[in-house]
Amino acid sequence: MQHFALTIIGRDRPGIVSSTAEILFQLGCNVADSSSTILGGQFAMILILSHPEISDIEQMEQAFHGLEEQGLSVFVRALKPGGEQRPDLPGELCMISVYGSDKPGIVYQVTKVLSENNINIVDLNTKLIGSAERPVYVMMCETVLPENLDDDDLKALMDELKQQLNVDISVRTVTPVEL
Amino acid sequence: MAEREVLVYPDPRLKEICSPAEIGSEATNNLVQDLIDSMYGSGHSVGIAAPQIGVCRRVAIVDVSHNKLGKKHNHGLVVLINPEIVESSGSKSMREGCMSVPDYTGNVERAREIVVQFTDGDGNDQVIRCKGFEAVAIQHELDHLDGLLFLDRVTNPKTDIFKRKG
């Protein structure tokens, strides 16, 4: 079955999800995975879809024209076979909290260290909070460690970065417990 | 007794409210043994409740002593027959998963410390105070006895982080 990635973004208001879901339902799409949230004043949706018959991307794009007329930006991408499957990531799951006075390069410096150590980011949220005079940057980054690293190794890496960037960083394990 | 198959949602038996178990009956004793065999048989689980093996009775077992999160505070294998939480305090958030809801996990906030009253596997009345991971595991298993899954208690981590803003 052909899988597609669908991205929708536009000025937030009630009804974006239901307009989208109506089209998906009428089209006969399956939503395999999705995440939607407000970012600034925009509502953003990302969905992984499949359809038992449609494999043509243009046919898929056409179905969402109505949304574009409502002022939403729509992007459809056809996935390569297997692209809908999440790879098996067996390592420890760690949450990294980074926060401090806003300055350029916080995300870059942190993610550079992660990438150099083959640490995979599976979820990332950043937000500018505080007042206009004293802006504070908050970054929450969920990562999967490679099998040769544990949370103490990640803590050591982040401690070093904490000194360099002059921000607060904490690391904790969030590996799920099966009960 | 035997290791039993663990039911997976949407099996309707996972959403039922269980009735009290009869203390000392053969059925209850067999159920406890099946739960023990099924929990240890799974290799990685730290608790299981009767409805997860298809029995609608208020019985659950917990053993966090083999898990690194439970090493510090635990009561070993705890057999909980007709258990009730009589006191709870504090809060602790953990990312939970469940053998009956495969491939999904979520952050759940539960009491950090609880006092639980129950009858043990030998028919003795017990009251124990548990904290940390053991307390979380007991609350998770006791929810099963009321037809609740951790999915009913998931909190959004993002709202937790930013809830004080504004």
Side-chain angles (χ1 to χ4, degrees):
Chain A
M1 207 185 302
Q2 177 65 53
H3 284 76
F4 300 92
L6 170 68
T7 314
I8 296 169
I9 184 163
R11 178 84 200 162
D12 187 51
R13 60 175 167 79
I16 297 175
V17 176
S18 74
S19 304
T20 307
E22 186 182 6
I23 295 170
L24 294 172
F25 173 67
Q26 282 171 354
L27 207 58
C29 278
N30 304 308
V31 180
D33 221 340
S34 79
S35 182
S36 306
T37 193
I38 292 187
L39 299 169
Q42 305 292 305
F43 191 70
M45 302 178 68
I46 305 174
L47 306 94
I48 302 296
L49 308 173
S50 66
H51 197 285
E53 284 134 33
I54 301 175
S55 58
D56 178 44
I57 190 157
E58 276 170 28
Q59 195 181 344
M60 195 56 110
E61 280 169 344
Q62 213 160 19
F64 296 100
H65 276 167
L67 290 183
E68 297 204 303
E69 282 160 18
Q70 291 179 30
L72 299 166
S73 303
V74 180
F75 175 70
V76 186
R77 178 171 186 237
L79 301 187
K80 289 187 180 142
E84 76 284 5
Q85 276 158 9
R86 187 183 168 135
D88 190 27
L89 303 166
E92 186 114 44
L93 204 55
C94 282
M95 180 73 94
I96 307 170
S97 307
V98 183
Y99 53 98
S101 298
D102 189 29
K103 69 195 76 167
I106 295 178
V107 176
Y108 171 54
Q109 299 294 347
V110 174
T111 56
K112 186 165 167 271
V113 170
L114 298 178
S115 156
E116 283 166 355
N117 287 278
N118 205 21
I119 295 167
N120 199 348
I121 297 173
V122 290
D123 197 271
L124 172 68
N125 287 291
T126 69
K127 205 171 180 77
L128 193 58
I129 62 170
S131 60
E133 302 78 45
R134 300 184 74 188
V136 171
Y137 202 73
V138 181
M139 169 176 167
M140 297 288 160
C141 188
E142 195 176 307
T143 58
V144 179
L145 306 187
E147 283 178 292
N148 61 327
L149 292 183
D150 64 16
D151 53 327
D152 285 333
D153 299 321
L154 179 59
K155 275 176 197 159
L157 288 169
M158 291 298 116
D159 274 346
E160 213 174 295
L161 207 54
K162 195 171 147 173
Q163 310 296 331
Q164 280 172 30
L165 292 175
N166 195 26
V167 291
D168 287 293
I169 308 183
S170 64
V171 173
R172 63 209 166 274
T173 311
V174 288
T175 301
V177 290
E178 185 165 83
L179 295 162
Chain B
M1 288 292 105
E3 194 179 332
R4 303 259 292 262
E5 187 196 345
V6 176
L7 304 184
V8 171
Y9 187 81
D11 193 301
R13 286 169 287 182
L14 292 166
K15 294 302 294 175
E16 280 175 31
I17 294 178
C18 300
S19 27
E22 195 188 329
I23 309 295
S25 73
E26 198 187 334
T28 301
N29 293 341
N30 290 347
L31 170 59
V32 167
Q33 195 55 52
D34 281 356
L35 287 170
I36 293 172
D37 294 342
S38 304
M39 178 178 76
Y40 292 129
S42 81
H44 46 82
S45 175
V46 297
I48 190 168
Q52 289 182 281
I53 57 168
V55 181
C56 196
R57 288 279 178 254
R58 304 191 76 81
V59 180
I61 61 165
V62 163
D63 182 358
V64 299
S65 64
H66 307 292
N67 188 294
K68 68 173 180 185
L69 298 170
K71 279 257 163 0
K72 214 163 138 197
H73 302 288
N74 71 74
H75 292 81
L77 172 66
V78 190
V79 174
L80 302 142
I81 302 172
N82 301 332
E84 239 172 283
I85 293 171
V86 291
E87 214 182 287
S88 57
S89 61
S91 76
K92 180 176 174 62
S93 178
M94 285 191 94
R95 186 160 311 180
E96 297 185 13
C98 179
M99 289 194 286
S100 296
V101 188
D103 303 326
Y104 199 86
T105 63
N107 290 343
V108 178
E109 203 167 305
R110 299 192 187 270
R112 179 177 289 276
E113 202 168 324
I114 57 169
V115 176
V116 58
Q117 185 173 33
F118 57 96
T119 303
D120 69 15
D122 300 320
N124 301 314
D125 286 335
Q126 298 267 4
V127 178
I128 59 170
R129 181 177 288 270
C130 305
K131 58 180 173 181
F133 185 41
E134 187 177 51
V136 168
I138 289 175
Q139 291 170 81
H140 176 109
E141 300 312 333
L142 265 53
D143 268 354
H144 279 297
L145 309 183
D146 290 318
L148 291 171
L149 299 173
F150 78 95
L151 298 176
D152 298 305
R153 297 202 187 270
V154 169
T155 57
N156 183 339
K158 238 175 138 184
T159 51
D160 280 355
I161 293 160
F162 295 114
K163 70 184 167 193
R164 267 183 287 260
K165 198 194 157 202

